[in-house]
Amino acid sequence: MSKSPVWQNVYLGYVSEYQILPDNHFITEQDEKKIAVQIGENDEFVGEQIYENEVHKIIEADQWAPLKKGINNLISLWYVPKRYFDDNSLSILVGRKAYVVIINILLFLSLLYFFKNNKPLFLFLCVVFAGFTFPYLVGHAANIRFKLDFEWIQTSVIALFIFLKYLNVKKTSDKETEN
């Protein structure tokens, strides 16, 4: 039998280690340790029940917790995960943060171009990016692997924009030149 770790992913979005926003405190360190021990003592199916119960407790304690977590995850996905957020070393600033800002600006320009020139493609791309974004708002975007998958699509859209706008020079055929 296979399973999907739905509640595990939702729960991980509330873990303190992954919170970028300073006011996001959903679980105490003691509770996180207690849950980790419980998970280690049970199989994945029981673990899903444990995670589900913990998520319900979090939401009962703070009805705005899903929104707060969603905003945190939005920042993690569209900028950088917590692991890199507070790191301002040169390699992270240049290799991760500046890179992501440049990619996002180029993506925005690309989407503007497609909005003006190809509305069906623009709408399709909006659906694709929403399809990436919304599941991570519900679950978590704490691992860089999610961001790297997402960036492949961003860079592909940017490449298509650059090709269509700047490199797609139509060459006239010999017959068109003679006429």
Side-chain angles (χ1 to χ4, degrees), residues 3-178:
K3 65 119 190 147
S4 175
V6 173
W7 289 105
Q8 177 187 18
N9 286 328
V10 174
Y11 170 80
L12 287 175
Y14 291 107
V15 171
S16 300
E17 176 184 354
Y18 303 132
Q19 300 307 310
I20 291 172
L21 302 174
D23 294 335
N24 281 10
H25 303 287
F26 305 111
I27 311 166
T28 66
E29 195 173 315
Q30 292 170 331
D31 285 342
E32 285 181 22
K33 288 178 184 177
K34 180 185 83 174
I35 293 163
V37 168
Q38 287 177 334
I39 294 300
E41 294 172 349
N42 293 287
D43 65 38
E44 293 174 342
F45 296 100
V46 173
E48 275 293 285
Q49 274 304 122
I50 294 168
Y51 288 130
E52 181 179 9
N53 293 337
E54 293 303 317
V55 167
H56 288 300
K57 287 180 193 175
I58 292 166
I59 295 170
E60 286 173 16
D62 181 359
Q63 67 179 358
W64 295 103
L67 178 62
K68 293 174 187 176
K69 177 188 67 132
I71 293 168
N72 186 82
N73 291 348
L74 185 72
I75 295 166
S76 292
L77 182 64
W78 283 89
Y79 185 47
V80 293
K82 173 66 173 169
R83 175 180 176 191
Y84 301 102
F85 193 83
D86 297 322
D87 186 344
N88 290 316
S89 64
L90 184 61
S91 63
I92 296 300
L93 282 174
V94 174
R96 190 90 293 278
K97 291 181 178 181
Y99 171 75
V100 168
V101 169
I102 291 167
I103 290 265
N104 286 339
I105 290 169
L106 289 173
L107 178 66
F108 179 74
L109 293 173
S110 301
L111 291 175
L112 280 177
Y113 173 82
F114 293 129
F115 177 76
K116 291 178 182 176
N117 297 296
N118 191 334
K119 287 207 181 13
L121 180 58
F122 169 79
L123 293 173
F124 172 75
L125 293 172
C126 287
V127 169
V128 168
F129 289 119
F132 262 91
T133 303
F134 288 115
Y136 291 116
L137 298 182
V138 174
H140 75 97
N143 299 325
I144 194 67
R145 71 174 188 259
F146 301 134
K147 180 74 178 142
L148 296 176
D149 291 342
F150 186 64
E151 286 175 0
W152 275 105
I153 294 174
Q154 289 178 293
T155 54
S156 297
V157 171
I158 293 165
L160 180 62
F161 161 67
I162 290 170
F163 175 76
L164 293 175
K165 175 112 174 130
Y166 300 106
L167 303 177
N168 190 19
V169 179
K170 296 187 181 197
K171 296 179 182 177
T172 56
S173 67
D174 290 338
K175 288 182 180 179
E176 290 176 354
T177 307
E178 290 174 8

